[in-house]
Amino acid sequence: MAEEFEVVIVGSGPAGLTAAIYTARANLAPLVIEGEPSSTSDQPGGQLMLTTEVENFPGFVDGIMGPELMTTLRAQAARFGARYVTEKVSRVDLSASPFGLWVGDPTAAEPTYRARSVIVSTGAQSLMLGIPGEDRLLGHGVSTCATCDGFFFRGHRIAVVGGGDSAVEEATFLTKFADQVTIIHRRKELRASKIMQDRAFRNEKIDFIWDSTVDEVLGDGSVSGLKVRNLVTGEVSEQPFTGLFVAIGHTPNTGLFKGQLDMEDNGYLITHDGTRTNVDGVFACGDVQDHVYRQAITAAGSGCMAAIDAERWLEARAH
């Protein structure tokens, strides 16, 4: 028979672990199914496990390493009674509470766990280029978040890959720190909105490499350059960039919930009245439902909201 919990939290980034802290302190003894270390899209600790120094999370004057921050949050929730399972959810049944959650074999007749309420905090993953050197130098000159890491690139020459609003917004933000920012785009014109394009074209610190892609990130310990290929001529050149920001989009980790939870066209979960989803008793927080801010602190804040929403929902049902 499946073990039953008042609250099961799916995902263990800043949102999930903050939800765990709050539900644990409310004596709800939450189960956190935190993901698998081998999974690129659902690893324990979320995307902060892939970052180095975090300087914009409140309370850490000198900054803190991403993995250290997540380890601290995990231990804090455990102190109040949160329980962890280091596995990946393979199937959910959200048709009625108590909800069913499977780990391992998704075809098993009975779920592994049942939950009176579920908090979804599976996050989102940045789309990457999939080129040599990218994974090796992620967090060491390769980044997917200008707001998070721009401060570390004072005086650098930075490349931003992408042509949409996100890429232009990242490039514009990075001009506050970098000496020069170059947008590398595979087409000869941007896809960004007209107002964003105008801002970029007027900015003296932004230039462009058109009809081109990045084939390789160069460097030993930090980025020292990029191999850039012109898609029209086929010519490959080495460019002396010392930073690379990949801005080609994000994908929310919501495949598990298709057909059960309402989503936007881009796959992000739709929430209302705080963190409530279309299924009564299921809540969503963090990057899985936020494609605007995507910060650790906003994810943590929404995790707090989801925990309070779940606690109040359970209390109302009890009465």
Side-chain angles (χ1 to χ4, degrees):
M1 181 178 290
E3 191 174 0
E4 187 169 323
F5 293 84
E6 292 289 291
V7 182
V8 170
I9 300 167
V10 184
S12 59
L17 292 181
T18 302
I21 292 169
Y22 273 78
T23 52
R25 290 190 73 251
N27 292 324
L28 294 175
L31 173 68
V32 182
I33 306 179
E34 59 179 349
E36 296 176 335
S38 60
S39 173
T40 56
S41 63
D42 191 21
Q43 65 173 352
Q47 292 190 74
L48 280 186
M49 295 300 288
L50 302 175
T51 64
T52 51
E53 195 166 11
V54 179
E55 288 196 324
N56 56 5
F57 199 93
F60 300 95
V61 177
D62 299 317
I64 185 172
M65 301 298 283
E68 182 185 355
L69 174 60
M70 301 318 299
T71 300
T72 302
L73 290 176
R74 189 182 189 278
Q76 186 175 359
R79 175 191 167 205
F80 295 115
R83 175 178 157 190
Y84 297 92
V85 174
T86 309
E87 294 185 86
K88 187 173 182 178
V89 176
S90 56
R91 174 185 164 196
V92 295
D93 178 4
L94 305 179
S95 57
S97 176
F99 307 108
L101 300 100
W102 283 254
V103 298
D105 183 7
T107 65
E110 286 293 318
T112 315
Y113 306 103
R114 288 196 179 275
R116 293 186 63 204
S117 64
V118 172
I119 295 176
V120 179
S121 56
T122 47
Q125 56 182 320
S126 300
L127 296 177
M128 303 301 289
L129 300 172
I131 57 176
E134 183 181 47
D135 286 345
R136 178 171 52 85
L137 293 169
L138 186 63
H140 299 277
V142 176
S143 175
T144 60
C145 179
T147 307
C148 311
D149 299 329
F151 180 82
F152 301 111
F153 289 83
R154 289 188 180 277
H156 286 244
R157 185 186 177 201
I158 300 173
V160 175
V161 175
D165 279 353
S166 293
V168 175
E169 185 176 352
E170 297 269 280
T172 303
F173 180 83
L174 289 168
T175 59
K176 298 178 180 180
F177 310 101
D179 283 349
Q180 190 68 33
V181 179
T182 301
I183 295 177
I184 301 175
H185 187 41
R186 61 185 305 112
R187 297 180 177 85
K188 60 183 177 182
E189 59 185 20
L190 298 172
R191 293 181 291 104
S193 59
K194 184 66 164 57
I195 189 170
M196 295 297 291
Q197 292 190 44
D198 289 344
R199 289 175 185 171
F201 293 142
R202 288 198 305 264
N203 194 315
E204 294 181 354
K205 281 192 172 183
I206 297 178
D207 59 11
F208 302 86
I209 297 179
W210 303 108
D211 294 320
S212 298
T213 61
V214 178
D215 280 357
E216 184 177 354
V217 186
L218 307 173
D220 183 13
S222 62
V223 174
S224 61
L226 304 175
K227 282 188 178 180
V228 178
R229 177 165 52 93
N230 186 290
L231 295 174
V232 177
T233 66
E235 179 185 356
V236 177
S237 60
E238 289 192 11
Q239 302 282 345
F241 294 105
T242 51
L244 170 64
F245 282 76
V246 181
I248 56 176
H250 293 77
T251 301
N253 301 318
T254 54
L256 189 65
F257 308 101
K258 285 184 178 178
Q260 301 192 64
L261 296 180
D262 287 347
M263 302 179 187
E264 299 182 27
D265 291 340
N266 55 11
Y268 285 85
L269 296 183
I270 296 173
T271 53
H272 63 90
D273 298 326
T275 62
R276 291 165 176 80
T277 68
N278 60 295
V279 175
D280 200 26
V282 178
F283 308 87
C285 56
D287 287 7
V288 76
Q289 52 86 53
D290 169 27
H291 53 81
V292 177
Y293 301 103
R294 294 197 297 261
Q295 299 299 302
I297 189 61
T298 53
S302 70
C304 166
M305 293 166 59
I308 293 172
D309 287 343
E311 180 187 356
R312 290 175 178 172
W313 183 84
L314 288 164
E315 183 178 352
R317 284 175 62 91
H319 292 288

